[in-house]
Amino acid sequence: MNTGQQTCVAAPVVAKARRQTELAGAELAKLLRGRVHLDEPMARHTTFRIGGPADIFVQPHDMEDLAATIRFARDKGLPCKVIGNGSNVLVGDAGIRGLVVRLAPKFSDVEWLEDGALVGAGARLARLVKEACEVGLSGLESAVGIPGTLGGALATNAGTDTGSIGDLVARATVLDHDGELREWTAEQFAYRYRYSNLHSSRASVICAHLRLEPAAKEDVVAKVNRLKAKRAGRQPLRAWSAGSVFKNPRAVAAGKVLDRAGAKGHRMGAAEVSRKHANFLINRGSATAAQMRELIAWAHELALGRYGIDLELEIELVGEHCNHE
Ligand SMILES: Cc1cc2nc3c(=O)[nH]c(=O)nc-3n(C[C@H](O)[C@H](O)[C@H](O)COP(=O)(O)OP(=O)(O)OC[C@H]3O[C@@H](n4cnc5c(N)ncnc54)[C@H](O)[C@@H]3O)c2cc1C
């Protein structure tokens, strides 16, 4: 399992970096119309409600702001992470160095077409599913209950056994790491199970054209309701989580493996394996990233020891996770 672990830095180095961050934040704020925050707690921006501060947190007002932010990061040599609703990430307790860019609630325009939609990356999937029901377009039903944005869904190829978002992409507009706009075809995302190459190309998706099928509204609504009920019966939707922590191996669901191994209810501090779904690790209120990481490592070892199954992370570890985690 790739732990993505980074080490924490010594205090004097942190103090110097802090001064540089303040200067960079002030310089960036002068260039933008959108908001720039220093030391923004990432727990506020993740569905796990876990995560230390982002050095510089930016909410661009428009495309010009976003391009300026990307170029600023490139010119200053600062890491830059675009996030959506933070529903597939575990941010370390020591936070994120460099820039974090949150597109939502801007970049959320949606234009419905006869056989699809043009959708901003900041738009929530929940809104898309609801509006697709209203206009009678089928294809997005499997996204019901996924609490992410279109951008996050396109990056992770979010979906279920009934379909993934990548299946719907006709083309998309992305901003490359030089701040230049590019048009991508669906093939350029190289979609696989919970994978796209947006990460490796360091591009940010701005909007996408999704292809959908005209259908009777009542049929779309009925399918959405069926899938919603199925999800509600199986998943702890009110708990603070990031959904399934591990990807499903080919032959068997990760949740089943962990359930059979007796993982449900196991705790590390306030991090707990859900009693409803063993692949959902939940924050019972005050869990730290360190505790969640310990629980993840424990569950991984359990599946490996009992069944020889090497579970792979579905969630992404972001930022600095200290050595003791
Ligand atoms: C209760 C619950 C149920 C869930 N069920 C499912 C499910 O059934 N299927 C499933 O696949 N997932 C599921 N998830 C996980 C998660 O909701 C999805 O992966 C979602 O698509 C992530 O979207 P986000 O906006 O929250 O992305 P984030 O978590 O903010 O980001 C995820 C990744 O996408 C990148 N990213 C975000 N926006 C952009 C952008 N504009 N351009 C480039 N990269 C970007 C980020 O850098 C990061 O690497 C669930 C989560 C929860 C909490």
Side-chain angles (χ1 to χ4, degrees):
M1 183 175 62
N2 176 11
T3 61
Q5 191 154 312
Q6 298 175 23
T7 50
C8 284
V9 193
V13 182
V14 171
K16 190 176 169 205
R18 165 82 204 153
R19 178 86 192 115
Q20 283 167 347
T21 297
E22 283 171 4
L23 292 172
E27 197 178 333
L28 181 60
K30 280 189 202 147
L31 299 175
L32 307 183
R33 293 171 67 205
R35 292 201 206 145
V36 176
H37 301 274
L38 294 187
D39 296 330
E40 175 70 10
M42 287 305 296
R44 288 187 191 154
H45 303 282
T46 64
T47 52
F48 257 139
R49 303 287 194 276
I50 291 174
D55 282 349
I56 304 174
F57 185 87
V58 185
Q59 287 186 284
H61 184 78
D62 50 23
M63 266 306 303
E64 234 173 85
D65 260 15
L66 178 60
T69 304
I70 301 281
R71 286 195 204 106
F72 180 86
R74 179 201 60 189
D75 295 345
K76 299 282 177 192
L78 292 169
C80 181
K81 180 79 177 160
V82 174
I83 62 157
N85 195 39
S87 64
N88 200 52
V89 292
L90 175 60
V91 176
D93 296 321
I96 304 178
R97 305 291 72 81
L99 275 69
V100 171
V101 180
R102 186 168 199 262
L103 297 189
K106 303 282 181 184
F107 301 88
S108 300
D109 290 348
V110 181
E111 185 186 339
W112 292 98
L113 311 171
E114 268 178 24
D115 58 354
L118 302 174
V119 185
R124 297 280 189 110
L125 297 178
R127 172 185 164 198
L128 296 182
V129 173
K130 180 172 172 284
E131 292 184 7
C133 286
E134 288 162 8
V135 296
L137 284 171
S138 174
L140 281 161
E141 296 91 322
S142 53
V144 69
I146 304 181
T149 61
L150 180 76
L154 291 174
T156 58
N157 195 15
T160 64
D161 52 2
T162 59
S164 299
I165 197 84
D167 305 337
L168 307 175
V169 176
R171 59 185 173 79
T173 304
V174 307
L175 199 65
D176 70 15
H177 60 279
D178 287 322
E180 299 293 333
L181 284 174
R182 311 255 175 228
E183 285 294 305
W184 275 23
T185 61
E187 290 70 35
Q188 283 171 278
F189 285 89
Y191 279 124
R192 298 200 300 268
Y193 170 60
R194 303 293 168 267
Y195 170 88
S196 84
N197 69 7
L198 265 176
H199 273 244
S200 54
S201 62
R202 294 190 292 150
S204 309
V205 66
I206 307 303
C207 62
H209 176 188
L210 303 181
R211 246 191 239 116
L212 303 167
E213 291 281 326
K217 289 181 195 177
E218 56 273 24
D219 292 348
V220 185
V221 172
K223 188 168 176 195
V224 164
N225 286 341
R226 199 173 65 246
L227 294 174
K228 200 170 166 181
K230 188 173 156 192
R231 193 182 274 275
R234 292 180 178 176
Q235 300 179 353
L237 299 179
R238 283 164 189 251
W240 292 343
S241 81
S244 293
V245 162
F246 298 105
K247 291 182 184 177
N248 289 324
R250 261 174 214 278
V252 59
K256 277 205 177 122
V257 173
L258 292 171
D259 191 4
R260 271 187 219 139
K264 281 183 174 171
H266 191 83
R267 284 180 84 148
M268 297 284 178
E272 182 181 287
V273 179
S274 162
R275 288 165 200 276
K276 199 165 181 183
H277 192 309
N279 199 16
F280 275 57
L281 272 47
I282 61 178
N283 172 7
R284 301 278 297 181
S286 57
T288 60
Q291 291 168 348
M292 198 54 80
R293 287 282 301 274
E294 253 185 86
L295 191 61
I296 290 170
W298 175 85
H300 178 260
E301 279 309 304
L302 186 68
L304 194 61
R306 289 280 169 88
Y307 306 112
I309 297 177
D310 186 6
L311 292 175
E312 193 188 331
L313 277 185
E314 177 164 327
I315 60 165
E316 184 184 340
L317 304 178
V318 174
E320 291 188 345
H321 291 259
C322 293
N323 266 341
H324 54 82
E325 288 178 10

